[in-house]
């Protein structure tokens, strides 16, 4: 599964893969694999990315098209 949204969010924020990999404490190559979908993203990394971009994990993985994180909606 290609994670197009994490690539789009990164590019919209004018960040490099290296900058994001440093934030996540992983190698740039590993981060590249995440974006390209050649390696699954661990849940803890998805949560860190969602927190970084102030969005939901559901948005990152394509379960919703709403990038806004709404804790009341997401925690019934």
């Amino acid at each position: 599964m290609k994670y197009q949204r994490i690539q789009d969010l990164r590019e919209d924020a004018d960040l490099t893969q290296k900058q994001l990999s440093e934030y996540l404490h992983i190698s740039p190559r590993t981060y590249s694999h995440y974006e390209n979908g050649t390696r699954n993203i661990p849940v803890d990394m998805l949560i860190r990315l969602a927190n970084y971009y102030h969005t939901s994990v559901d948005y990152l993985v394509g379960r919703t098209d709403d990038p806004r994180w709404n804790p009341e909606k997401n925690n019934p």
Side-chain angles (χ1 to χ4, degrees), residues 13-59:
D14 293 324
L15 297 169
T16 64
Q17 287 185 344
K18 183 175 189 224
Q19 289 170 309
L20 256 295
S21 69
E22 288 171 357
Y23 169 76
L24 296 171
H25 304 288
I26 58 175
S27 73
R29 183 177 179 149
T30 297
Y31 183 82
S32 175
H33 284 298
Y34 292 164
E35 278 192 9
N36 294 325
T38 55
R39 188 177 289 176
N40 285 326
I41 304 175
V43 173
D44 62 319
M45 291 293 163
L46 283 171
I47 292 169
R48 291 186 73 187
L49 286 166
N51 288 339
Y52 185 83
Y53 291 120
H54 306 288
T55 192
S56 69
V57 171
D58 283 348
Y59 177 74

